[in-house]
Amino acid sequence: MLEYRTEGFNGYSVKYSPFFDSRLAVAASANFGLVGNGRLYILGLTPNGIVAEKWFDTQDSLFDISWSEAHENQAVVASGDGSIKLFDIALNEFPVQSWQEHKREVFSVHWNLVSKETFCSSSWDGTIKIWSPTRPSSLLTLPTHSCTYSASFSPHSASLLSSVSSDSHLRIFDLRTPSSASNHLTLSLPIHTPPKARPNLPSPPGIAPSEALTHDWNKYRSPLIATAGVDRTIRTFDIRAPGQGPVSVLGGHEYAVRKVSWSPHLGDVLLSASYDMTCRVWTDGSAMGAGEEGGGGGREMGRMGRHTEFVTGVDWCLFGAEG
């Protein structure tokens, strides 16, 4: 196992480069993001371990990172001062672009995997914004009216955007719809909806709403999204059938789940990171013909417990076999 210590900073987000299997970017913050500076690390995986190729310091905490899908040397970061910064790692010290429109902390950034020309951000100010790296201001603002911890484009469509928020809802926006139609909002799904009752079994009990912190689109099944958050539970939803509740429910984490990520190699496998200091690998059961009846079939496949503080970021390498 390889290891690198971000001395003086706590990592919040880690992402493999979509161009190089040996390059990582890490968004980090001093003092767990409560107060102090941030740092963007560019790390290289070498035969001698992980080495820091370069880093960029920022005036406020960094909470998320997304590599450009169009430029191998560029990455965008989300900052605690409400700004978004675009760095070119071939240059030194300063970002090549900076935007300051969000009114509160920016907690997620995500590049459009299909068009590759835009990226989105979400903030505690209750908005999602869409940006172009070549434009000085945002292209579009989508209100959620709730602290929005995670937003991302669908890997299957350049026009579909999703988010999860503190109000325990998963939202889907379709940018092809008229803006007058609820600001492109096409679905608002309560994550705390219990699974659909099975034949000859009692109805599942009601679930209290709790903050949703993370979500991810399945890379192989376009309607499937995984969500997780403060209630320690991972749920998957089929957005074609929002009324049926979660397709699968994966429990086991002891504290809030901070990040989920579907595998780019296997359609039924996902990875999670939690405040319980573990990363866990799960199957939703679909590869075994389970998990399609509302909560059944999914299970934990393994866990990694080498961290000694909160685990807030996980990612898969796009290249080679699963890992």
Side-chain angles (χ1 to χ4, degrees), residues 39-322:
R39 179 172 287 179
L40 167 62
Y41 289 90
I42 306 300
L43 305 179
L45 308 183
T46 76
N48 298 319
I50 303 177
V51 298
E53 298 178 348
K54 185 170 288 189
W55 63 72
F56 301 88
D57 288 331
T58 59
Q59 291 185 340
D60 212 308
S61 303
L62 298 183
F63 293 132
D64 200 15
I65 167 79
S66 183
W67 286 99
S68 168
E69 293 289 329
H71 194 303
E72 64 188 31
N73 287 328
Q74 293 186 350
V76 66
V77 293
S79 180
D81 62 4
S83 70
I84 298 163
K85 294 177 172 60
L86 179 69
F87 286 92
D88 189 316
I89 66 173
L91 305 176
N92 293 321
E93 294 189 41
F94 301 112
V96 294
Q97 180 66 284
S98 182
W99 299 270
Q100 184 85 49
E101 291 188 20
H102 284 294
K103 305 304 182 185
R104 292 198 61 192
E105 292 89 336
V106 183
F107 222 60
S108 78
V109 283
H110 188 265
W111 214 278
N112 192 319
L113 301 176
V114 180
S115 78
K116 305 184 187 300
E117 298 172 351
T118 57
F119 64 91
C120 67
S121 63
S122 72
S123 169
W124 292 6
D125 66 8
T127 67
I128 299 166
K129 291 180 180 286
I130 299 174
W131 311 83
S132 166
T134 62
R135 298 282 292 274
S137 58
S138 62
L139 305 176
L140 183 65
T141 298
L142 303 171
T144 64
H145 309 293
S146 181
C147 177
T148 305
Y149 289 103
S150 175
S152 67
F153 281 100
S154 166
H156 309 281
S157 169
S159 303
L160 287 180
L161 189 73
S162 57
S163 71
V164 293
S165 306
S166 59
D167 64 358
S168 189
H169 277 71
L170 166 66
R171 291 177 172 85
I172 305 295
F173 300 88
D174 189 339
L175 304 183
R176 296 166 295 191
T177 61
S179 59
S180 58
S182 301
N183 291 298
H184 303 287
L185 181 68
T186 58
L187 176 64
S188 182
L189 192 158
I191 294 170
H192 51 279
T193 300
K196 186 178 180 181
R198 298 186 185 184
N200 304 318
L201 291 176
S203 298
I207 303 168
S210 63
E211 291 190 307
L213 304 178
T214 178
H215 77 299
D216 194 35
W217 292 80
N218 188 283
K219 311 303 189 294
Y220 294 91
R221 291 174 286 166
S222 59
L224 198 67
I225 297 176
T227 70
V230 170
D231 70 356
R232 304 169 295 174
T233 303
I234 302 167
R235 298 176 177 84
T236 67
F237 293 92
D238 187 331
I239 60 174
R240 298 170 302 181
Q244 75 172 15
V247 177
S248 58
V249 179
L250 306 170
H253 276 297
E254 298 172 21
Y255 292 104
V257 181
R258 182 62 182 79
K259 185 71 174 178
V260 291
S261 179
W262 285 103
S263 168
H265 308 288
L266 299 169
D268 68 309
V269 173
L270 68 158
L271 185 59
S272 63
S274 169
Y275 289 153
D276 66 13
M277 298 185 285
T278 68
C279 304
R280 307 194 188 197
V281 183
W282 311 79
T283 174
D284 67 358
S286 58
M288 300 174 287
E292 304 294 340
E293 298 296 331
R299 62 180 177 85
E300 180 183 322
M301 300 171 66
R303 72 179 67 178
M304 291 149 279
R306 294 288 296 272
H307 286 288
T308 56
E309 282 293 349
F310 298 157
V311 187
T312 56
V314 289
D315 196 30
W316 300 85
C317 182
L318 298 176
F319 302 93
E322 55 270 15

